[in-house]
Amino acid sequence: MTRSIGAHTIDNGGIHMAVLRAGNAGMTALQVFTAIPRFYGDKSTIKPERVARFKTALAKTRIKPANVVVHAAYVLSVATPDDEKWERASAGLTKELERSSALGVGSVCFHPGSAGTGDRATSAKRIAKAIVKALESIDSSTRLLVENTAGAGKTMGKTAQEVGEILSHVPKSLRARTGYGLDTCHLFSSGYDITKSKQAFTAVLDEFESATGEPPSFFHLNDSEGELGSNRDRHVLIGDGLIGKQPFEWLIQDDRSKGIPLILETPQQNYDIAADDDSPDPYDLKMMKLLL
Ligand SMILES: [Zn+2]
Ligand SMILES: [Zn+2]
């Protein structure tokens, strides 16, 4: 089965080192951050030297730029009813699309954030507004993708209907430049039982496809420490959580996992790897072996 599998590898030493670690693990997909994910990053422009190092490293691997995903900062809550916060988060999202476009990657994924005290329908429109603003500001082929969420509190993007609703507010002319991706841990913790049977698993993908009008553009492959419907966003190694190995086999067998990045966001063994050490993480190697 030819599938593009990779991981969000550690970037100690720079994003080009994350690329080399992924390449040395035999990966054909990859996810990175372009800025510190705890900050808005709305002012941080990517330096040409950094772009050059990234591209040189990528050329040494079997990872196509289209199969590289940039994960936007977690703090970019464009779902918020607060105007000031929305402006800043929206600016951060636009800036992320700018950095990622400079890197020439296939897509940026982001968590839409929390509706807070606002209602969900208005929040869906505000998320779409931020997507539109980013796409109109940055002319590129890098797509901006909504990630489904574990659904804690007022978090948006919890159901197929909600992801569909967000995307439905994007005008047709820009619609091809956006889409969504699915995280297996988030699906399970938000209440989609993908473990029951292959049919049940397929039905969940069908539900997202019919609510949005398209198949997912990436998958995050994570087992879940939290129970079904727990809304807990805690990733564990595949086989160590409550999803178990089998649903991942069903995913690999489904045609919708073909031709898109499949990214592990599972724990790493060496978070403190030396900046100049480009060896792959042993846990990633274990996961790759299990999936391929
Ligand atoms: Zn994820
Ligand atoms: Zn998560």
Side-chain angles (χ1 to χ4, degrees):
M1 207 84 63
T2 43
R3 293 292 184 269
S4 302
I5 300 176
H8 191 131
T9 51
I10 292 174
D11 63 2
N12 295 356
I15 44 174
H16 64 292
M17 293 304 294
V19 172
L20 296 177
R21 287 172 192 128
N24 291 335
M27 294 176 185
T28 51
L30 166 72
Q31 183 171 281
V32 289
F33 293 123
T34 67
I36 300 163
R38 285 174 285 113
F39 300 125
Y40 284 90
D42 53 331
K43 304 274 188 299
S44 50
T45 301
I46 196 161
K47 292 192 175 69
E49 307 87 78
R50 210 170 151 224
V51 172
R53 281 197 298 269
F54 174 82
K55 289 188 172 176
T56 306
L58 201 62
K60 290 181 189 159
T61 71
R62 294 193 298 131
I63 307 165
K64 291 184 195 139
N67 286 328
V68 180
V69 180
V70 165
H71 200 302
Y74 304 116
V75 293
L76 302 182
S77 182
V78 291
T80 179
D82 181 310
D83 287 335
E84 213 172 297
K85 279 187 192 149
W86 184 89
E87 283 297 341
R88 185 121 195 253
S90 169
L93 195 63
T94 298
K95 200 69 183 170
E96 181 59 84
L97 188 62
E98 180 192 288
R99 288 191 299 271
S100 299
S101 299
L103 291 172
V105 304
S107 57
V108 170
C109 79
F110 75 102
H111 298 185
S114 171
T117 54
D119 70 274
R120 299 186 82 94
T122 309
S123 180
K125 285 185 188 155
R126 289 168 80 82
I127 297 162
K129 197 174 146 193
I131 294 174
V132 169
K133 198 175 165 196
L135 294 177
E136 283 178 341
S137 311
I138 311 293
D139 183 22
S140 90
S141 54
T142 302
R143 296 176 72 215
L144 189 51
L145 307 172
V146 176
E147 178 172 351
N148 75 306
T149 53
K154 300 288 170 60
T155 313
M156 294 292 290
K158 178 183 174 170
T159 62
Q161 290 67 31
E162 208 158 72
V163 173
E165 189 182 342
I166 295 165
L167 295 174
S168 74
H169 296 304
V170 176
K172 245 191 184 149
S173 58
L174 294 171
R175 187 59 185 78
R177 294 176 59 201
T178 181
Y180 71 101
L182 296 176
D183 183 307
T184 52
C185 168
H186 302 175
L187 279 175
F188 187 74
S189 56
S190 69
Y192 286 101
D193 194 355
I194 50 172
T195 66
K196 245 185 311 183
S197 63
K198 190 173 180 178
Q199 285 76 5
F201 180 89
T202 308
V204 172
L205 299 194
D206 291 347
E207 192 179 329
F208 273 88
E209 192 167 348
S210 72
T212 59
E214 67 184 65
S217 292
F218 70 85
F219 280 100
H220 281 164
L221 311 180
N222 304 311
D223 208 331
S224 172
E225 188 183 270
E227 285 169 33
L228 177 69
S230 63
N231 300 130
R232 284 189 63 213
D233 187 1
R234 191 64 90 82
H235 306 178
V236 291
L237 293 174
I238 293 172
D240 283 1
L242 295 169
I243 297 177
K245 291 176 191 171
Q246 202 168 34
F248 294 92
E249 287 169 26
W250 299 331
L251 173 61
I252 302 287
Q253 286 160 9
D254 193 289
D255 272 348
R256 284 168 287 200
S257 64
K258 207 171 166 180
I260 59 168
L262 310 179
I263 307 287
L264 293 152
E265 293 176 316
T266 42
Q268 304 275 297
Q269 194 173 339
N270 292 328
Y271 286 106
D272 298 326
I273 191 166
D276 61 352
D277 183 348
D278 65 4
S279 62
D281 192 88
Y283 282 175
D284 279 347
L285 289 177
K286 195 176 154 191
M287 293 295 100
M288 295 289 292
K289 210 171 154 195
L290 190 142
L291 291 163
L292 287 170

